[in-house]
Amino acid sequence: MERNPLRRQLQIMRKSLFDQGYLDEQFVQLEELQDESNPNFVEEVVTLYYRDSARLILNIEQALERKPYNFHKLDAYMHQFKGSSSSIGAKKVKAESTLFREYCKSGNGEGCMRCFQQLKKEYTTLRKKLEAYFQVARQAGPMETACRPK
Amino acid sequence: MASALPSGDMGAAEANSGNGGQMQKKPFTFNEIVLRNRLTALVVDGDNFCRLLEQGILQAYGLETQSVNNGDAAVELIASGAKFDLILIDMLLPILDGVEATRRIRAMGMRCKMLGVTACSGERERQAFLAAGVDVFVEKPLGPEILIPVLRELDGQV
């Protein structure tokens, strides 16, 4: 068991992110690429993801304001968003993205709207949780050895 | 952001090979693979983040990489004579989509390993991409369980 209280807190936060389904195995792969030469790799990747995906969220929002819906365009945006979300292991966000694409394929505008609202909630919640996690990680300092799979 | 990720290519193919100014090569690679040979890879993805991340992952495993952000640039790069051991290509790409780009790359005689790495998950998309010429259809994200066997094979470790 981790004796350092900050490290312990970090372990608990990390476990919670996986247990509650916010993150999946892909996040572990990112952690495996982090070591003493790139100690903040995961945080940097996540920061880039949120910066990059903000544009897609905006595109989708704007597309949902235009009637009739262009489901082909909406699907294309969400395809891209799903790809990058899955690349950081954002499990719930990815699930909502998949659902949104199904609504696009079936031409269900209301479904798209509802799903998108839920997606934004998950996206924002994950962001807040990861920000808190990385804040503690920075306080805890780098680990002595490179990350290894759990 | 520190340059832990590749600087990336925003337009037509730029020589983004090697690791200069990008993710440092690791003396050991994870999941117990150490490449014995120099392997090169091309990443074709219209999404900036995914392209950079996939490049970063490949570089972490020790590959030299280039990247382009659309299918047409990928075809042009191959047509110019560039050779790769591995190509990761997305399905939905600007200008020229991944299926058609793959078809044209194969038509040029390129026999390297091609992984179709896409957010698409339908069986129809899978069949279309495989029919176009990718060797493996991978739903994003590309994980080590897919990548490491491919790298072992390319490196002659199998």
Side-chain angles (χ1 to χ4, degrees):
Chain A
M1 176 178 290
E2 179 61 60
R3 289 185 182 177
N4 180 306
L6 276 176
R7 288 250 148 245
R8 176 82 185 124
Q9 185 184 351
L10 202 62
Q11 275 179 353
I12 292 168
M13 289 172 85
R14 184 181 179 279
K15 188 173 185 305
S16 167
L17 285 166
F18 284 96
D19 289 349
Q20 291 180 25
Y22 287 103
L23 296 175
D24 63 25
E25 272 300 307
Q26 178 62 15
F27 191 82
V28 177
Q29 185 180 180
L30 296 183
E31 290 179 314
E32 290 177 3
L33 296 173
Q34 182 164 292
D35 65 7
E36 59 279 352
S37 62
N38 289 313
N40 303 313
F41 176 72
V42 182
E43 184 175 1
E44 288 168 2
V45 166
V46 169
T47 302
L48 178 61
Y49 162 72
Y50 273 101
R51 195 175 73 203
D52 224 54
S53 60
R55 173 183 50 86
L56 284 170
I57 292 281
L58 184 61
N59 287 342
I60 296 168
E61 262 170 353
Q62 289 173 344
L64 285 171
E65 283 166 9
R66 290 191 280 271
K67 303 275 179 66
Y69 290 138
N70 184 335
F71 288 109
H72 178 76
K73 189 177 264 191
L74 283 168
D75 186 58
Y77 286 141
M78 190 53 74
H79 168 91
Q80 207 171 334
F81 181 78
K82 181 187 169 186
S84 51
S85 300
S86 65
S87 297
I88 68 155
K91 190 174 177 181
K92 290 190 182 190
V93 175
K94 180 183 173 182
E96 292 299 330
S97 304
T98 301
L99 187 58
F100 185 95
R101 294 194 71 202
E102 285 168 15
Y103 283 129
C104 285
K105 286 184 173 92
S106 60
N108 185 337
E110 270 188 40
C112 284
M113 277 297 300
R114 268 197 325 269
C115 184
F116 187 59
Q117 297 311 314
Q118 184 61 27
L119 182 149
K120 283 197 292 184
K121 263 190 211 166
E122 299 294 354
Y123 176 80
T124 305
T125 299
L126 178 62
R127 179 182 205 154
K128 286 180 182 159
K129 286 183 180 288
L130 286 174
E131 279 173 354
Y133 174 76
F134 290 130
Q135 189 171 22
V136 174
R138 272 183 256 119
Q139 288 167 359
M143 290 179 70
E144 288 178 2
T145 58
C147 289
R148 286 286 179 257
K150 58 183 169 79
Chain B
M1 177 181 294
S3 54
L5 289 166
S7 54
D9 304 315
M10 289 310 298
E14 290 172 35
N16 194 21
S17 56
N19 293 317
Q22 301 165 4
M23 277 187 65
Q24 294 181 22
K25 244 184 193 172
K26 298 177 185 301
F28 302 102
T29 55
F30 293 94
N31 288 289
E32 299 165 9
I33 180 169
V34 178
L35 297 181
R36 296 193 285 242
N37 300 292
R38 175 181 167 271
L39 294 181
T40 57
L42 173 65
V43 175
V44 189
D45 199 309
D47 181 78
N48 184 47
F49 172 76
C50 288
R51 196 174 60 253
L52 292 181
L53 183 60
E54 284 171 13
Q55 264 195 285
I57 289 171
L58 291 174
Q59 286 172 6
Y61 282 112
L63 283 85
E64 292 181 15
T65 69
Q66 289 188 29
S67 71
V68 294
N69 68 355
N70 67 80
D72 189 59
V75 172
E76 289 289 320
L77 183 57
I78 302 299
S80 73
K83 298 234 183 317
F84 300 96
D85 299 295
L86 175 66
I87 298 177
L88 304 187
I89 183 163
D90 194 359
M91 200 162 192
L92 294 190
L93 295 168
I95 305 176
L96 184 70
D97 68 67
V99 172
E100 184 56 31
T102 299
R103 204 170 279 131
R104 294 186 193 183
I105 287 169
R106 288 300 195 205
M108 284 190 274
M110 181 61 98
R111 292 287 160 253
C112 69
K113 198 81 165 178
M114 288 185 76
L115 305 189
V117 184
T118 172
C120 295
S121 55
E123 182 58 25
R124 198 176 57 181
E125 286 89 354
R126 181 175 168 276
Q127 293 297 337
F129 221 171
L130 288 170
V134 299
D135 297 293
V136 185
F137 178 91
V138 183
E139 187 185 346
K140 279 180 181 172
L142 175 63
E145 70 284 354
I146 301 277
L147 188 56
I148 288 175
V150 168
L151 295 181
R152 282 208 174 106
E153 182 192 332
L154 292 174
D155 197 41
Q157 293 184 21
V158 176

